[in-house]
Amino acid sequence: MLSLKASVEALHQLYLANGKGLSHLLIESGHEVTANRINQRFELLLEGWPKQNSMVAMMKTKEGYRELINVFNGLEYIQIALHDDVAAELGIVMGFNATDGD
């Protein structure tokens, strides 16, 4: 859990990039609501991060399992927002075309 949290913190920092990251690009493009919503989701996810260090131990209790589901849902929300909302708002085509010769 510590390693996963460190990865999420690093992703959040990349998203912000000292005012020069994707968040800034969204704001400059007129999508401040989306930028702030994603930033809030990162903050909420990290604030509510489970105290236990072991997923295995957490899986053995209902409360631990709920906490893991909350982490999963938080990560999934961020992933969907980045993939669907941000890509559409910035005109980024998500996908791969295996037939175009690349």
Side-chain angles (χ1 to χ4, degrees), residues 2-3 5 9 14 17-18 22-23 30 33 35 42-43 50-51 54 56 61 64 69 83 88 93 96-97:
L2 291 175
S3 177
K5 184 178 182 185
E9 288 170 334
L14 284 171
N18 295 320
L22 185 55
S23 175
V33 171
F42 272 115
E43 290 173 352
K51 302 295 182 226
S54 170
V56 173
T61 67
I69 292 296
H83 188 273
V93 177
F96 177 75
N97 182 351

Side-chain angles (χ1 to χ4, degrees), residues 55-94:
M55 280 188 198
V56 173
M58 292 176 74
M59 292 291 290
K60 293 180 181 180
T61 67
K62 286 183 181 182
E63 182 59 33
Y65 183 74
R66 277 190 214 110
E67 287 183 289
L68 286 173
I69 292 296
N70 285 336
V71 169
F72 176 81
N73 287 342
L75 291 171
E76 185 175 44
Y77 180 90
I78 292 168
Q79 187 270 329
I80 289 170
L82 291 172
H83 188 273
D84 294 348
D85 300 340
V86 172
E89 290 173 359
L90 296 180
I92 299 169
V93 177
M94 299 298 288

Side-chain angles (χ1 to χ4, degrees), residues 2 8-9 11 13 17 22 27 35 45 50 53 64 79 88 92 95 99:
L2 291 175
V8 173
E9 288 170 334
L11 183 59
Q13 291 307 310
L22 185 55
I27 292 168
L45 178 60
N53 294 331
Q79 187 270 329
I92 299 169
T99 62

Side-chain angles (χ1 to χ4, degrees), residues 31-46:
H31 303 289
E32 187 172 352
V33 171
T34 300
N36 292 336
R37 184 170 37 90
I38 293 170
N39 188 49
Q40 285 180 322
R41 285 299 182 151
F42 272 115
E43 290 173 352
L44 287 171
L45 178 60
L46 291 167

